[in-house]
Amino acid sequence: MVRFRSLTVRFGVLYFVVLLGLGVICVTFLLNLGYVRSNTRQVIAEVRKQAVLTGLRSRNLTLEYIIQADGVTDLAQARRAEGLLQTSLVELEGLGIGEAEISREGRSEPEGQALTELAATLRDLNKWFQDGDEASDGAVAQELLAAANVALAGLRDETQLEVDGAIVDLDKRTEAMRMVMFATVLGAAAFLAFALHYMHRRIIRPLNSLRYSAERFGMGELSYRIRMDSTDEIGNFATTLNQMADRLQDAHEDLESRVRERTSEFLRAARMAHLGVLASGIAHEINTPLASIRSCAEGMHRRMKLGEYSEELFADYTETICREVERSRGITGRMLALAREEPTTSTVNSLDMVLEQVSSALSHRASRKRVRLVQELPEEEINLRVDGGELVQIIVNLVANAIDASPPDSEVLVRAEVTPEQMILTVQDQGEGIPPDQLEHIFEPFYTTKSPNEGTGLGLALVSKLVESHRGRVSAKSAPGEGSTFRVVLPLDWRRSQ
């Protein structure tokens, strides 16, 4: 069986079949229309011939009446008879020229002979009227008229046969055209059904398959492949899509491999950067207790050299050193927990005790800068369920920055306000203030307004991280020459923020 591998060839064959079918139908119709036209002309001619013969028969009856009434002796009747005969001869001559030529096959010659004999008989009868007188024998005219009537009856019978035959032929041609039209409709319907089935099977279904495959490709299913066994243009397109999917899948796998490699490298770099930030943060936070430990050690050393040693002073110094060492250990633990995002341990702490620890940790720094620490607290005792170490770390960073920014003989104000759900802590200094272009960056890691040897830029970043980890808020307000104010809002119970 011949297989057409191209849609162009297939549609070309379909078009050729359609044109061939239309040509056959048109030729068949034209032939049948020609036959119908010929039969119709024959019927019309035969009907006209019957009309002429009917007129001849009527005139023959008139002639018979004239002959029986001795019309030959009557000049007027004789002229009338001659006129009737002349009319009949003229009409017979017309029939001989036209209608005999379209008579059915096999009947033209006998019909022509009959017309010739009838015309000859009528001429003889006409001559009889022209030569006739009172002695003329009417029997001759009667015989001639009888012969003419016999010939006329034969012609009428022949004409009727011609009409019947032409009608039968016309019916046959009409039925043939009806059958051709019926066959054409059936053939067209069958061809249309075949064409629709073929288009659905060879075009629409493959196109739907391509659309479904394209949707799956679009959803990222690059491993899906189009299954199509056709070798036409649609099949070639499906093969091209499969090849494209192969290349995309290879590229996607290669890209994923590269992304995994780059992600691994990025995570290693991020861990190293995180480790650097953690180390910097620990170093920054431990500087404050180390400064207190150093201050106590220097005080002890100086008094021992001066001989001003006392057990009470020694105990005070050692207690401060132990407390700051313990705070340093707590700082490292909290920093690691913060880096790992571990939940904190909340206990009941007095705000007065927290601020006392802040004052103890920063008293030596404030003394060196000649800065006074002023506290404004509510009269009633405030108990908080918080991580005391983290809260001390937050306040120490804010107050330490305020001390560093304050000029000598100024003060740093620490104000606390309590609402039913929150604690609002404000730290205000009397320093030079922070320019507006720097104020929006102060909570970013490693950003500092201090000299390179004085700050790391991690204190406020750690404050922001700690406050936000408990769903709190920290903000700063400052203007050049007016000092700075830091405002921290924290929940009273940190258990609700875990």
Side-chain angles (χ1 to χ4, degrees):
M1 180 179 179
V2 179
R3 296 186 64 183
F4 302 105
R5 296 182 179 272
S6 172
L7 286 177
T8 304
V9 176
R10 291 175 183 175
F11 280 107
V13 171
L14 288 177
Y15 292 151
F16 175 76
V17 171
V18 171
L19 292 177
L20 181 62
L22 290 176
V24 171
I25 293 171
C26 290
V27 170
T28 304
F29 265 89
L30 288 175
L31 289 176
N32 281 282
L33 284 174
Y35 289 131
V36 169
R37 179 173 176 272
S38 176
N39 291 333
T40 303
R41 287 182 59 195
Q42 186 176 353
V43 169
I44 293 173
E46 295 301 332
V47 170
R48 181 173 176 273
K49 190 185 296 182
Q50 281 188 339
V52 172
L53 295 178
T54 299
L56 287 176
R57 176 59 180 166
S58 176
R59 285 188 288 275
N60 285 351
L61 290 175
T62 303
L63 290 173
E64 184 178 358
Y65 171 76
I66 293 173
I67 292 172
Q68 289 176 358
D70 269 343
V72 71
T73 58
D74 188 345
L75 184 59
Q77 290 294 336
R79 300 288 80 80
R80 180 185 177 194
E82 290 176 5
L84 293 173
L85 289 171
Q86 288 295 330
T87 301
S88 297
L89 288 172
V90 171
E91 290 181 355
L92 284 176
E93 288 178 0
L95 290 178
I97 294 173
E99 278 70 3
E101 296 178 358
I102 60 173
S103 296
R104 301 179 67 213
E105 185 178 355
R107 294 184 178 273
S108 298
E109 186 174 349
E111 186 176 340
Q113 291 178 357
L115 287 173
T116 302
E117 292 177 358
L118 178 58
T121 302
L122 291 178
R123 289 191 190 93
D124 292 340
L125 186 58
N126 186 36
K127 185 177 180 182
W128 183 83
F129 274 105
Q130 290 176 353
D131 297 340
D133 51 21
E134 294 182 359
S136 297
D137 189 0
V140 175
Q142 290 284 354
E143 292 177 0
L144 292 173
L145 187 58
N149 287 332
V150 170
L152 183 60
L155 281 173
R156 292 181 64 187
D157 294 339
E158 184 68 24
T159 301
Q160 187 61 45
L161 291 176
E162 290 280 347
V163 171
D164 294 340
I167 292 175
V168 171
D169 288 343
L170 187 60
D171 290 339
K172 289 181 180 180
R173 299 301 177 184
T174 304
E175 184 64 24
M177 291 183 67
R178 187 181 298 111
M179 293 302 296
V180 169
M181 291 180 65
F182 182 72
T184 300
V185 172
L186 287 181
F191 181 80
L192 181 61
F194 169 76
L196 290 176
H197 173 72
Y198 183 82
M199 290 184 64
H200 178 76
R201 183 169 175 267
R202 291 293 183 178
I203 298 177
I204 297 177
R205 188 186 300 170
L207 288 178
N208 286 334
S209 178
L210 290 178
R211 179 185 59 80
Y212 174 74
S213 303
E215 289 177 352
R216 297 192 64 172
F217 289 155
M219 291 187 293
E221 299 183 29
L222 297 179
S223 60
Y224 179 78
R225 294 296 178 269
I226 305 172
R227 297 176 178 85
M228 192 173 297
D229 57 356
S230 61
T231 57
D232 53 17
E233 289 85 350
I234 297 179
N236 294 335
F237 184 60
T239 302
T240 303
L241 285 180
N242 286 334
Q243 294 174 353
M244 180 189 70
D246 291 336
R247 291 192 292 270
L248 286 176
Q249 187 175 14
D250 294 340
H252 185 263
E253 292 176 354
D254 181 65
L255 181 61
E256 284 188 339
S257 177
R258 294 184 180 182
V259 168
R260 285 193 295 268
E261 294 177 0
R262 298 296 184 271
T263 302
S264 178
E265 295 175 0
F266 175 76
L267 290 177
R268 285 196 296 270
R271 283 194 292 269
M272 294 301 295
H274 189 64
L275 181 60
V277 173
L278 179 62
S280 300
I282 292 175
H284 175 273
E285 293 302 304
I286 289 181
N287 276 337
T288 300
L290 285 179
S292 296
I293 293 172
R294 178 182 177 183
S295 177
C296 291
E298 288 177 347
M300 290 174 62
H301 179 70
R302 184 174 58 255
R303 291 181 181 275
M304 289 178 65
K305 286 179 65 176
L306 296 174
E308 298 177 356
Y309 174 78
S310 67
E311 291 185 359
E312 182 179 355
L313 184 62
F314 181 78
D316 183 50
Y317 278 138
T318 54
E319 182 182 355
T320 301
I321 291 173
C322 290
R323 186 173 61 248
E324 292 302 314
V325 169
E326 184 64 23
R327 194 161 75 87
S328 298
R329 190 183 68 81
I331 287 174
T332 58
R334 285 192 297 275
M335 291 295 293
L336 290 174
L338 182 64
R340 297 170 183 170
E341 297 184 354
E342 295 178 356
T344 59
T345 302
S346 301
T347 58
V348 177
N349 292 269
S350 170
L351 182 59
D352 292 336
M353 185 180 299
V354 170
L355 292 177
E356 182 180 348
Q357 293 181 26
V358 172
S359 298
S360 176
L362 297 174
S363 60
H364 297 288
R365 177 181 291 196
S367 297
R368 287 198 308 269
K369 292 276 293 187
R370 301 203 308 273
V371 175
R372 296 184 305 277
L373 297 179
V374 179
Q375 297 181 3
E376 291 185 4
L377 304 177
E379 295 181 358
E380 66 274 11
E381 184 179 1
I382 301 175
N383 292 319
L384 311 171
R385 183 171 286 276
V386 298
D387 186 324
E390 286 191 3
L391 184 57
V392 169
Q393 190 174 354
I394 292 170
I395 301 174
V396 164
N397 272 289
L398 294 175
V399 175
N401 284 340
I403 292 173
D404 293 341
S406 298
D409 301 323
S410 62
E411 63 181 30
V412 172
L413 175 63
V414 179
R415 180 187 299 112
E417 302 175 34
V418 177
T419 66
E421 298 290 335
Q422 295 176 332
M423 176 190 69
I424 302 172
L425 183 69
T426 304
V427 178
Q428 183 177 359
D429 63 57
Q430 297 175 349
E432 296 179 358
I434 304 173
D437 58 334
Q438 298 180 3
L439 187 63
E440 59 183 7
H441 300 291
I442 59 175
F443 293 108
E444 297 176 2
F446 302 108
Y447 186 87
T448 179
T449 59
K450 300 178 182 179
S451 301
N453 296 326
E454 295 182 2
T456 61
L458 288 173
L460 292 178
L462 289 172
V463 169
S464 177
K465 179 69 174 178
L466 288 171
V467 170
E468 290 177 358
S469 67
H470 297 289
R471 298 184 183 178
R473 301 186 305 276
V474 58
S475 60
K477 181 180 180 182
S478 181
E482 297 181 5
S484 301
T485 302
F486 287 83
R487 186 171 185 266
V488 177
V489 180
L490 286 169
L492 295 179
D493 190 346
W494 285 8
R495 293 177 300 177
R496 301 177 183 178
S497 62
Q498 299 297 322

